[in-house]
Amino acid sequence: HVDGFRFDLASALAREFYDVDRLGSFFDTIGQDPVLSQVKLIAEPWDIGSGGYQVGNFPPGWNEWNDKYRDSVRAYWKGDEGQIGEFARRCTGSADLYEASGRKPHASINFVTAHDGFTLADLVSYNDKHNEANGEDNRDGTSHNRSWNCGAEGPTDDAAVLALRSRQKRNLMATLLLSQGVPMVLGGDELGRTQGGNNNAYCQDNEISWLDWELDAAGEAFLEFTRRLIALRRRHPVFSRRRFLQGDSATGDGLREIIWLSPDGREMTGTDWGVAFA
């Protein structure tokens, strides 16, 4: 009754001596096993060694944590410039990473947050990590979070800041759950869980990392919003297609599979795609 396995630092499994070999003996063995070849196989497609970053390079039959999706979605909603084309590629399944090898949109495990890094609430509440409690003088954990505190660092009573944070959380969760690919939600994000800005809480077995099930009104509202998004995704198969969208293919009645519209309702042009901020 095991659906599958997620392999941490999975590029290490493909190393032949030092180099990462996409068709390494480990993958050959898995592919020939009558049981393992039929279950879900999810890779964290990088390790800490040279050449270990292998997003998009795992063989057919494997799904991958897509950190390009994470980085693009974070940067777009943070307001970084020049992100709209990359954002479009990621929310339509990252065909540039997976289509050439014959894999389907479900090869992309989409995520915005994971057990490493900020929670969703902290992603919109802190510009910087706050790992002082870890005892390493705040040197541990990544410093490049693509986060935005919406105008105040950490807890605040400013109604405008809180409203913006709530909107940003909805933007991020809606993008995740309505993108092509497999959405991965960090447990607790749907409840508004915070780690107080700690983005490396593996060593904290206390209130920093625990889930608080006593929800306030904002927590209840966001949980209900997430439920509605999940129901919407399950109700409409278009959000979980089995093949990639083709922008230049048309149906018999002349309708294309996908078109992109500008805010005023026009079909986007090359000029629209090239603007710094959209």
Side-chain angles (χ1 to χ4, degrees):
H1 303 292
V2 175
D3 289 331
F5 303 91
R6 180 264 187 187
F7 294 84
D8 195 69
L9 302 174
S11 295
L13 301 171
R15 287 194 178 274
E16 303 284 352
F17 293 104
Y18 297 106
D19 295 329
V20 174
D21 180 1
R22 183 171 174 269
L23 298 177
S25 57
F26 176 80
F27 293 138
D28 291 341
T29 302
I30 291 289
Q32 295 167 15
D33 187 277
V35 176
L36 295 180
S37 63
Q38 303 303 309
V39 300
K40 296 179 176 67
L41 300 171
I42 300 173
E44 182 184 39
W46 52 79
D47 64 19
I48 61 175
S50 175
Y53 186 78
Q54 294 292 323
V55 173
N57 292 330
F58 274 66
W62 283 77
N63 304 327
E64 301 176 9
W65 274 27
N66 188 349
D67 69 329
K68 292 182 181 291
Y69 178 95
R70 175 200 65 196
D71 293 348
S72 172
V73 171
R74 286 188 180 194
Y76 177 79
W77 286 115
K78 175 175 173 284
D80 290 350
E81 294 187 347
Q83 295 295 317
I84 191 167
E86 177 71 0
F87 180 83
R89 278 188 290 273
R90 300 303 155 223
C91 69
T92 51
S94 296
D96 59 320
L97 297 177
Y98 305 114
E99 189 171 29
S101 62
R103 287 189 284 174
K104 307 300 183 184
H106 65 70
S108 181
I109 305 296
N110 300 328
F111 67 106
V112 176
T113 55
H115 62 274
D116 293 321
F118 280 148
T119 66
L120 183 64
D122 289 353
L123 188 67
V124 301
S125 302
Y126 294 91
N127 284 347
D128 304 300
K129 64 183 181 182
H130 294 270
N131 297 353
E132 291 81 6
N134 296 351
E136 298 186 40
D137 297 323
N138 207 35
R139 294 191 304 268
D140 63 307
T142 181
S143 297
H144 190 45
N145 295 288
R146 294 180 174 85
S147 60
W148 177 39
N149 65 19
C150 298
E153 188 74 355
T156 180
D157 294 325
D158 189 309
V161 171
L162 293 175
L164 180 54
R165 288 178 180 176
S166 179
R167 181 177 181 181
Q168 285 289 79
K169 285 172 54 182
R170 295 195 301 274
N171 289 335
L172 290 159
M173 187 64 82
T175 300
L176 176 62
L177 287 172
L178 302 182
S179 292
Q180 300 296 323
V182 179
M184 183 181 82
V185 178
L186 174 63
D189 276 355
E190 76 283 11
L191 310 177
R193 184 174 74 93
T194 177
Q195 293 180 165
N198 192 317
N199 75 351
N200 194 34
Y202 76 97
C203 57
Q204 301 293 339
D205 183 13
N206 50 47
E207 289 84 354
I208 292 176
S209 62
W210 294 344
L211 271 69
D212 184 356
W213 298 98
E214 297 296 327
L215 301 184
D216 58 15
E220 292 282 4
F222 192 65
L223 176 59
E224 178 57 28
F225 176 77
T226 305
R227 286 175 172 147
R228 290 168 57 199
L229 282 173
I230 293 171
L232 179 66
R233 181 184 178 92
R234 296 184 68 176
R235 190 161 59 245
H236 296 286
V238 70
F239 293 121
S240 51
R241 292 170 52 91
R242 296 182 180 272
R243 62 180 179 84
F244 290 103
L245 291 157
Q246 301 295 324
D248 55 356
S249 62
T251 62
D253 51 8
L255 294 175
R256 282 178 289 161
E257 284 191 340
I258 184 172
I259 61 172
W260 299 90
L261 303 178
S262 63
D264 61 5
R266 295 178 296 103
E267 184 171 355
M268 289 177 63
T269 65
T271 300
D272 294 317
W273 286 107
V275 299
F277 180 79

